[in-house]
Amino acid sequence: EEEPATQQTTSFNGKLRHFTYTGITTTASPSGVAPTPKPTPKRKQLAEQASPSPAKKRRPSSKYAPPSKYAHLSPLTDILEPNLICVFVGFNPGVRTATSGHAYAHPSNSFWKLLHSSGLTDRRCRPEEDVDLPRLYAMGNTNIVSRPSKDVAELAKQEVIAGVPILDNKIHKFKPEAVCIVGKSIWEAIWQYRNGKKPTKAEFSYGWQEERHNMGKLPWDEGVEVDGDDEDWVGARVFVATSTSGLSASLKPAEKEAIWKPFGDWVQQRRVER
């Protein structure tokens, strides 16, 4: 028979020598209180996420201004006459434009520059030459809102929408071959007047629009007598171009030129064909 194993007793110091330490090693402080462990990178990241970042300053937006604010400025005169190839439709005259009495007169506005780069004019015209557009290039100009303001934000949405039928009547009266909408927001206002809502991203596009969007073709009621020209005219074709305002910076200059170029090519071709 085997003898039972003798049970050995181990002292406290012996157990201590055989014990293996794991974990974080800390250095005792003079006061005897263990210092707080330094945060790991993950803890730092969580701490940074928890602390709020300083709020960014926002530029104050312009508010609606009644017509009386700019009553001392005269509305811009439309440059319209029959037999034009195209008519440009702007939003409304700015203060600089209304003061000078000529279209797109602010130095930061790229309208005259884009007319030249797209081939609509053979040189860069000055704002003072706007009255010569029909004679020199068979082109005209008008706005969806006639009264001046510092910027578009000073106009009421209702007066912008109300300008659509007035614009349609102008186009019907002078019957240009095409209308160039100078800015996405203008086309959105026209679309909203006709459809009760703004176009979706899928519905909006720069460039030529479908024939059903032609302008100036008024919805005649049954029984109303119209002359032959009104009955046969299908309306003015619509080309939606970019805004030329210096406040509009959503597109780069090269992108704007690319959007304007097809319209310039078409107008040049129509001049040759005439």
Side-chain angles (χ1 to χ4, degrees):
E1 294 182 5
E2 294 182 357
E3 295 182 357
T6 305
Q7 187 175 3
Q8 297 181 353
T9 58
T10 306
S11 66
F12 174 78
N13 290 334
K15 291 180 179 180
L16 189 63
R17 284 194 300 269
H18 287 84
F19 187 81
T20 303
Y21 288 93
T22 59
I24 301 174
T25 304
T26 59
T27 304
S29 63
S31 61
V33 179
T36 303
K38 294 182 179 180
T40 62
K42 185 175 182 180
R43 288 178 181 172
K44 288 183 179 180
Q45 184 178 4
L46 293 174
E48 291 174 356
Q49 292 176 354
S51 60
S53 57
K56 295 182 179 179
K57 294 183 179 180
R58 295 183 178 181
R59 294 177 60 186
S61 59
S62 300
K63 297 181 179 180
Y64 170 77
S68 58
K69 181 175 181 179
Y70 300 104
H72 60 288
L73 298 175
S74 301
L76 196 66
T77 302
D78 286 337
I79 302 172
L80 297 171
E81 62 181 54
N83 201 36
L84 295 175
I85 293 177
C86 72
V87 169
F88 298 102
V89 178
F91 212 109
N92 77 308
V95 174
R96 179 67 173 268
T97 291
T99 302
S100 69
H102 297 286
Y104 304 97
H106 199 284
S108 67
N109 197 295
S110 59
F111 177 79
W112 299 103
K113 179 181 179 181
L114 283 167
L115 256 59
H116 181 213
S117 64
S118 64
L120 287 161
T121 58
D122 56 1
R123 58 184 174 82
R124 183 168 178 174
C125 299
R126 303 184 309 276
E128 295 78 13
E129 296 178 273
D130 56 357
V131 293
D132 296 323
L133 285 176
R135 177 178 60 85
L136 296 176
Y137 304 107
M139 301 189 302
N141 183 69
T142 187
N143 291 288
I144 192 170
V145 176
S146 60
R147 76 175 181 95
S149 69
K150 179 183 177 182
D151 53 35
V152 174
E154 291 189 328
L155 302 176
K157 292 182 179 179
Q158 294 81 357
E159 63 182 317
V160 178
I161 300 299
V164 177
I166 299 174
L167 174 63
D168 253 325
N169 275 286
K170 291 179 183 179
I171 302 304
H172 173 76
K173 178 180 179 180
F174 293 100
K175 294 181 175 59
E177 293 185 31
V179 170
C180 180
I181 307 297
V182 187
K184 177 182 178 181
S185 56
I186 303 173
W187 183 238
E188 287 178 334
I190 295 172
W191 187 289
Q192 184 169 355
Y193 174 81
R194 294 177 172 180
N195 302 283
K197 64 178 183 65
K198 289 185 177 181
T200 62
K201 289 184 178 180
E203 292 171 328
F204 174 80
S205 64
Y206 286 110
W208 290 109
Q209 306 300 306
E210 297 177 4
E211 185 176 330
R212 62 190 177 93
H213 296 305
N214 285 7
M215 298 203 66
K217 183 64 175 178
L218 302 182
W220 302 107
D221 295 329
E222 292 184 6
V224 176
E225 294 184 4
V226 295
D227 58 34
D229 292 339
D230 286 335
E231 190 174 6
D232 298 334
W233 193 57
V234 296
R237 297 181 65 187
V238 175
F239 186 96
V240 178
T242 67
S243 171
T244 60
S245 171
L247 299 175
S248 177
S250 58
L251 294 173
K252 297 178 181 179
E255 293 174 322
K256 291 185 178 183
E257 289 182 1
I259 292 172
W260 277 78
K261 191 65 169 64
F263 188 67
D265 292 342
W266 178 82
V267 171
Q268 288 185 76
Q269 182 62 34
R270 289 299 299 126
R271 290 197 191 110
V272 173
E273 293 171 351
R274 282 188 169 195

